[in-house]
Every structure is written in C-alpha cells, then in structure tokens.
Amino acid sequence: PAAPLDRAQRRATLAALATSTACLLLGLALATLVARRVTEPLRQLVTPGNPLSAAPVVREIAQLQEALGSARSREAASRATLQRKADDFEALFNGTPIGLAFASLADEAAQPTVIHNPAMNALIGPASPVAGSLSAVGVFQHGLPLPLHEQPLQRAAAQGEPVGPVELELRYGSGATRHVLVRATPLLDEAGRSRAAVAAMMDITERKHAEHERAALVASEREARQQAEAASRAKDEFLAMLGHELRNPLGAIALAVEVLQHVHGDE
C-alpha cells in the first residue's frame, strides 16, 4: 500500500522544512546579533561627541576607532592652529597703522566685496557696499582723477597681477590732501585665476612735505650761492675796472711827485 510511504515522505518533508526554518531563524537571529554588535559601535563612531559605550569586539572596528580618534585629535589641533592664525591676522589687520583693504570676488560678473581695516577707514572712510566706491574722497594720480576700475585694488582683483607701488593723492571734501603709497597683490585659486586681492596703503604725507621742504632749502641754498657768486664777480669786475681807470691818473701823479722831489723850495 502507498499510504504508509506517503505519510513517511510527508513527515520527512515536514521535518526537513521545520529544520530548515529553524536553522534559517537561528541564522537570522545570530546574524542580527552579530550585525548589532558591529553596527552599533560604527554608529557610535560616526556620531560626533558620542564615545563608545563598550570596547568593540571586532578588531577592525577597534583599529577604526583608534584611527578616527587620531584623526579627530589632528583635526582639533589643526582647527586650533587655524583659529590662532585667524586671531593673529585679525589683530594685525585691525591694529596695524598701515591701511589694508581686502576685495573678494564671489562672482566674476559681480563687483568685488571690499573690507577695510580701521587705518584704511581713517584714510578713505568705510568701504561702500557698491564695489568699494569712494564718494567722499577723490583719488588722483599725477594731478588727474583716477577712475575706480583703474585703482590698484580693483586692478589687482580684476587682472590677477600685482600693482604698484604707486603714489596717489587723496583729496578730501574739506580741501585737505594726503599723499599715499599703494601696493595691491592678487590672491589666486588653484586654477591660477584671481579670487581676491589685498591692498596696503601707507600715508607718506609727512615724507612728501619733508621732500618739498628739502627741495625748497636746496633751491634757496642754490639761489644764495648764485647771488654770492654774482656779488663776487661784480666785486672782481669793479676792482678790475677801478684799477684800469686809476692806472693812468696814478701814473701821472707818481711822475709829478718824482719831479717835485727834485725841485728846490725856492724854485
């Protein structure tokens, strides 16, 4: 009869299915457990400021933990170094007596954004939000007005080449003038294109005044020397003329005196 064989086959099939299902469930449970023991430390590692609750059981995760800790330590040290440099630069930027201006190009088609330090504000006033234009101060070179696009900072930012040093004259609305020496240097990106520029402006008004005074003293000394030389030449000419004009009368007088010395008193 086939019935006993069919029942035995069904029992064997059910037992195999049950065993496979149990093995599959056990494998899933073990895999889930192992995955949790692997993924939980990884999740804690990628979460900033969240230390591991326990030592990882996987050697590679422990090595990754050490590498991440070392990288974070180096990053913290680098950030601290950059912050110190930024603080030093800010102190230098705000405390230097030399006027500094920084122009950044956010977009090639847009006008540069200009930032001034206090010394630059004292010279030309705060930067205008429109391309750093100077409304209250006139910029002149060789006595002629200098357009904005020809000024050193804008030229260095637009052309990507150093400009200067050049001497410029600042004329204020009050009528006062200042002489400054300006040099601008572009800041380039990885492709060699200009991304920003920095300009340094130094007030040389006192030096120009000293140069003018020294030139005036030299001119005055030259004029005095020329007058003294002219007076000396006039004296020499007068003495020469006097000697020439008196030579003949003095000769006659000397001859008459010689004759009178040979004449007796009664003659």
Side-chain angles (χ1 to χ4, degrees):
L5 297 177
D6 292 338
R7 287 193 298 271
Q9 184 178 6
R10 285 195 296 269
R11 286 195 299 270
T13 302
L14 292 175
L17 290 176
T19 303
S20 299
T21 302
C23 290
L24 180 61
L25 293 176
L26 180 60
L28 288 176
L30 292 176
T32 302
L33 178 61
V34 172
R36 286 182 178 178
R37 298 184 68 180
V38 171
T39 58
E40 182 62 22
L42 291 177
R43 185 185 64 81
Q44 295 179 5
L45 284 178
V46 299
T47 303
N50 186 16
L52 292 178
S53 58
V57 296
V58 181
R59 182 181 60 184
E60 286 76 8
I61 296 180
Q63 294 175 352
L64 179 61
Q65 179 187 9
E66 295 178 0
L68 288 176
S70 177
R72 286 171 180 171
S73 299
R74 290 194 299 269
E75 181 183 4
S78 299
R79 287 180 179 273
T81 301
L82 289 177
Q83 186 62 41
R84 287 195 300 269
K85 291 183 178 180
D87 295 339
D88 294 343
F89 175 78
E90 184 176 3
L92 176 64
F93 185 78
N94 293 324
T96 179
I98 299 177
L100 296 176
F102 180 81
S104 60
L105 294 173
D107 187 2
E108 294 181 358
Q111 295 291 346
T113 302
V114 181
I115 301 175
H116 291 172
N117 70 337
M120 183 68 79
N121 291 338
L123 288 173
I124 61 177
S128 172
V130 182
S133 59
L134 306 178
S135 58
V137 180
V139 182
F140 290 78
Q141 186 178 23
H142 306 304
L144 300 176
L146 191 64
L148 179 63
H149 66 277
E150 289 294 332
Q151 295 179 14
L153 181 62
Q154 282 72 18
R155 284 176 54 192
Q159 301 174 5
E161 296 180 356
V163 179
V166 295
E167 289 189 14
L168 300 178
E169 182 182 358
L170 304 180
R171 298 182 182 179
Y172 301 88
S174 61
T177 60
R178 284 183 179 272
H179 297 274
V180 294
L181 188 66
V182 185
R183 181 180 180 86
T185 303
L187 304 178
L188 307 179
D189 57 12
E190 294 80 2
R193 295 172 298 184
S194 176
R195 60 177 178 82
V198 60
M201 179 179 292
M202 184 172 59
D203 189 356
I204 59 172
T205 305
E206 297 298 331
R207 191 184 76 180
K208 296 295 289 187
H209 289 170
E211 291 178 356
H212 292 327
E213 292 177 358
R214 184 169 60 251
L217 290 176
V218 171
S220 176
E221 188 272 337
R222 185 183 300 111
E223 183 180 0
R225 186 172 62 251
Q226 292 176 352
Q227 292 178 356
E229 293 175 353
S232 178
R233 287 194 301 270
K235 179 192 69 174
D236 294 340
E237 293 175 358
F238 173 75
L239 292 177
M241 181 186 66
L242 183 62
H244 177 73
E245 295 296 333
L246 294 180
R247 182 177 57 187
N248 293 334
L250 288 177
I253 294 174
L255 180 60
V257 170
E258 184 68 23
V259 171
L260 289 176
Q261 288 178 354
H262 291 81
V263 174
H264 298 286
D266 54 355
E267 297 178 357

